[in-house]
Amino acid sequence: MDKIVLKENLFVTPLGTIKCGIAGTEGYAALNGEASYEHGQSQTIGTHSHRIELVTFKRKLPLYNGESVADTMGWLWRIEKISSQFNPVELYCQLTDYDKNVEFGFSAGEHLDSVEVNDNEWVLHIGVEDGEIIQYRASQNDGMPIRFENTFGFSNSPHQQQREGFLTPIPDLNEGEHIHLHYITAFDRKNRESVNTWLAVDIFKRDIENWIGIW
């Protein structure tokens, strides 16, 4: 069965439009609430099997090295299984509506996987935490159930890297379990002497939550 978009957020950049959303097989999602954090906006939707909070936020600028970027956008997904029904959902964050002269690549860091997009003028990164740090979070029961500690790791991430971004099938959760995952993107004018957009998407979940004001 094809998945149906339950919630989607758009971010327009000079290189195209980034679509970040969640899709599922149920075809039902109701808006249950909206809230504001210190540095983020939240919407909560409910399906028959999941409670899904999407927090959108901007990256704190300037970065720790004093550099900045033209703009950023982040999406923190906090998903709770609220029934025993099996209704698979998946997250995605991908660049769409791009020109044919846009080039794609893949770059990684110590705890980062990212897609790089550029043309003659602009560069953009879409970043996620890699499998190794998600494995560590599972070991701490930190937004990833501890039973997934041996599922993810250095060579096994929940995020599937694609040409235009990432697709993330959510594992089948037990009722009451939570998963917290994020995507973050940044773009700026191309500068061969700077990796500022790459640095802007290299951030841990805990640092994002602290910046947003989630305690």
Side-chain angles (χ1 to χ4, degrees):
M1 179 178 177
D2 291 337
K3 296 206 171 43
I4 300 167
V5 173
L6 304 173
K7 176 67 179 174
E8 187 175 76
N9 186 269
L10 304 181
F11 180 56
V12 178
T13 81
L15 291 162
T17 299
I18 293 179
K19 293 183 178 180
C20 187
I22 187 167
T25 57
E26 290 185 61
Y28 165 82
L31 179 63
N32 291 338
E34 297 180 300
S36 294
Y37 293 100
E38 184 178 1
H39 296 114
Q41 299 296 318
S42 165
Q43 287 189 320
T44 301
I45 63 172
T47 72
H48 295 304
S49 54
H50 294 88
R51 178 184 179 274
I52 303 157
E53 183 185 18
L54 167 60
V55 185
T56 55
F57 63 95
K58 298 285 189 180
R59 182 73 154 88
K60 182 181 180 180
L61 296 173
L63 304 172
Y64 64 87
N65 66 348
E67 290 194 71
S68 192
V69 297
D71 203 359
T72 72
M73 179 60 73
W75 301 268
L76 174 63
W77 296 91
R78 302 183 347 141
I79 301 170
E80 177 187 4
K81 188 75 177 294
I82 58 174
S83 82
S84 60
Q85 294 177 318
F86 176 64
N87 288 303
V89 292
E90 63 186 20
L91 302 173
Y92 58 90
C93 188
Q94 298 174 330
L95 184 72
T96 65
D97 304 323
Y98 51 84
D99 293 334
K100 62 181 180 180
N101 65 329
V102 166
E103 296 181 352
F104 291 86
F106 183 70
S107 56
E110 186 175 356
H111 296 300
L112 170 73
D113 288 334
S114 71
V115 169
E116 179 179 328
V117 189
N118 66 81
D119 63 10
N120 292 332
E121 296 183 52
W122 298 90
V123 61
L124 175 150
H125 279 85
I126 303 170
V128 295
E129 289 183 317
D130 69 8
E132 194 171 17
I133 193 63
I134 289 175
Q135 179 188 46
Y136 174 76
R137 287 210 282 115
S139 73
Q140 304 298 305
N141 201 28
D142 178 16
M144 180 63 65
I146 196 167
R147 65 188 178 91
F148 291 116
E149 181 181 1
N150 296 321
T151 301
F152 303 118
F154 177 76
S155 59
N156 191 15
S157 169
H159 303 292
Q160 298 175 5
Q161 187 259 325
Q162 300 180 323
R163 181 173 182 264
E164 294 92 355
F166 293 93
L167 177 69
T168 311
I170 300 301
D172 186 27
L173 301 176
N174 296 328
E175 187 173 353
E177 286 185 330
H178 296 253
I179 277 185
H180 298 177
L181 297 168
H182 73 264
Y183 306 97
I184 185 166
T185 188
F187 68 85
D188 201 6
R189 294 279 183 181
K190 184 179 286 188
N191 180 352
R192 295 184 182 277
E193 298 180 358
S194 175
V195 293
N196 56 345
T197 55
W198 185 86
L199 292 175
V201 303
D202 185 13
I203 184 171
F204 294 119
K205 163 191 167 287
R206 180 63 63 187
D207 293 333
I208 287 174
E209 290 175 334
N210 288 341
W211 165 245
I212 291 172
I214 297 172
W215 310 105

